[in-house]
Amino acid sequence: MSVWALGINHNTAPLDLRGRFAFALDQIQPTLTGYRQSLSRQLEATLLSTCNRTELYGAGDQSAVGPTLDWLAQTGGVSGDVLRDHAYVLRDDEAARHAFRVASGLDSMVLGEAQILGQMKDAVRAASDAGALGSTLHQLFQRSFAVAKEVRSSTEIGTHSISMTAAAVRLASQLFEDLRDIKVLFVGAGDMIELAATHFAAKNPKGMSIANRTLERGEKLASRLGAEVMRLAEVPDRLHEFDAVISCTASTLPIIGLGAVERALKKRRHRPMFMVDLAVPRDIEAEVKALPDVYLYTVDDLATVVQTGKESRQAAVAQAEAIIDAGVLSFMHWMEQRDPAHGVVPLIQQINAQADVWRAAEMARARRLLAKGEPIEAVLEALSRGLTQKMLHGTLAELHTGDVATRAATAQTVSRLFLRDELPKTTRDAHN
């Protein structure tokens, strides 16, 4: 059994390539099912997809890594060579370390951000619902969550971290003299938009509007923030009303096109527009950035802003890495115990199987005695004596074989296994 991770992220792949491999949460379960059906042999699998990364975690034969990369490339509509140029493959302890770092926010564009942990938990639930989460990946991710919790509680990794949405407010403040004089449009109503709207609302802008495909969800968010709500279809005709536009939807195609922005600028008499596209794939067409009166930022453009203060958190990073290293060692020890070549799990299984054989034999003998009319007490006595003899036969035989040193070592082991309650206190303490 081996674990591995295959993926792309904001460090290895550009935004438009990442957009080809973005999966909404409700797509993960059917995508995992299709992926596992594409393999000749079933394996455990989990798919994590965020605006900064798409990663497949697997447990099983490592020969599945190659077919997995080809399947992922085909799913994203690119050649295997293109994906291979931007992808990373991590195995065993490095895969575990990567999972722990991701969960802890150490591999994020925003160092120490906490949102990724919830996204990982969602991905694990989706894998479980798809029947793709076995005992190995379950252990990997439960340990990831535990490590992340310890990192969060024992270090200051998240202190003073700047989120994407906070960075957007900072950039808007550099463009507009006073945010109280602007009108802001939020496109979408998910978690990222809720965070962005909360940050902007704290600056008391002149007006805020929520545009969403589903009015009900948009109205719920708008009511909390005192914002107006509109249908997504209204955006192109009303775009000119807004000085700032923050968009983050799950659309697979851009919903704000170049033509719509050009018309809006004309109606605004070319007053500047501040636009932030937090979506992967893009919500706003890339060509919009070339317009002279538009200041368009994507998630990758915000990278420099969110790194502010990173140096001051390096000590916390070192502490977090030490916690992660300990977690990796513990997980790999657990893996080794399950390895038939090194571990004790197969031996435990064999012992249990042998005990079941003995038990079945004595139960069959007891049933025969009962059928002959033997007294129950006598049958129970024979049953207990038979089980005891079978279980002790090998041990007692070993105590009578070998040289003096071998017998002494065997006697010490037998005492530790069978006479724990009878050992002197000092001996028990030494063994414990």
Side-chain angles (χ1 to χ4, degrees), residues 124-147:
V124 170
R125 275 192 290 269
S128 179
D129 292 342
L133 190 71
S135 59
T136 301
L137 287 188
H138 174 78
Q139 275 289 325
L140 174 67
F141 287 112
Q142 291 306 312
R143 289 168 183 259
S144 296
F145 303 153
V147 164

Side-chain angles (χ1 to χ4, degrees), residues 85-105:
D85 287 342
H86 296 278
Y88 43 86
V89 177
L90 305 166
R91 295 177 170 85
D92 296 324
D93 59 331
E94 288 304 314
R97 177 171 285 102
H98 180 73
F100 294 175
R101 296 186 83 252
V102 170
S104 302

Side-chain angles (χ1 to χ4, degrees), residues 81 98 107 125 128 150 163 176 185 252-253 298 302 311 327-328 336 342 347 352 383 387:
D81 289 339
H98 180 73
D107 196 61
R125 275 192 290 269
S128 179
E150 185 176 355
S163 69
F176 300 108
L185 171 64
T252 57
L253 296 171
T298 66
L302 295 174
E311 294 77 12
V328 171
E336 288 171 3
H342 306 98
L347 177 60
N352 285 331
L383 174 64
L387 277 175

Side-chain angles (χ1 to χ4, degrees), residues 6-15 17-19 21 48 50-55 57 83 86-88 90 98 101-102 106-109 300:
L6 182 156
I8 56 174
N9 65 18
H10 58 284
N11 292 316
T12 68
L15 172 63
L17 182 63
R18 298 203 308 273
F21 300 96
L48 172 65
T50 74
C51 60
N52 288 331
R53 72 184 66 248
T54 294
E55 296 175 339
Y57 292 84
L83 180 58
H86 296 278
Y88 43 86
L90 305 166
H98 180 73
R101 296 186 83 252
V102 170
L106 267 66
D107 196 61
S108 297
M109 185 179 290
D300 287 358

Side-chain angles (χ1 to χ4, degrees), residues 133-182:
L133 190 71
S135 59
T136 301
L137 287 188
H138 174 78
Q139 275 289 325
L140 174 67
F141 287 112
Q142 291 306 312
R143 289 168 183 259
S144 296
F145 303 153
V147 164
K149 182 178 179 181
E150 185 176 355
V151 167
R152 185 70 53 183
S153 61
S154 303
T155 76
E156 296 184 356
I157 194 68
T159 303
H160 307 305
S161 65
I162 302 172
S163 69
M164 290 286 184
T165 52
V169 174
R170 177 176 293 188
L171 289 170
S173 299
Q174 294 173 5
L175 178 62
F176 300 108
E177 187 174 336
D178 192 341
L179 295 187
R180 289 176 296 181
D181 295 331
I182 69 170

Side-chain angles (χ1 to χ4, degrees), residues 179-248:
L179 295 187
R180 289 176 296 181
D181 295 331
I182 69 170
K183 295 183 69 175
V184 189
L185 171 64
F186 301 97
V187 183
D191 292 340
M192 286 293 283
I193 288 296
E194 184 173 357
L195 283 171
T198 301
H199 277 93
F200 272 94
K203 300 296 182 180
N204 298 310
K206 182 165 60 176
M208 296 194 303
S209 296
I210 310 288
N212 194 51
R213 198 177 305 278
T214 306
L215 267 184
E216 183 182 356
R217 184 163 185 179
E219 287 171 346
K220 188 179 297 184
L221 177 58
S223 65
R224 288 208 304 271
L225 299 169
E228 178 196 4
V229 67
M230 70 169 75
R231 294 186 183 278
L232 204 57
E234 299 177 54
V235 169
D237 294 331
R238 296 189 56 186
L239 199 57
H240 65 281
E241 300 176 19
F242 301 97
D243 306 289
V245 178
I246 317 296
S247 187
C248 186

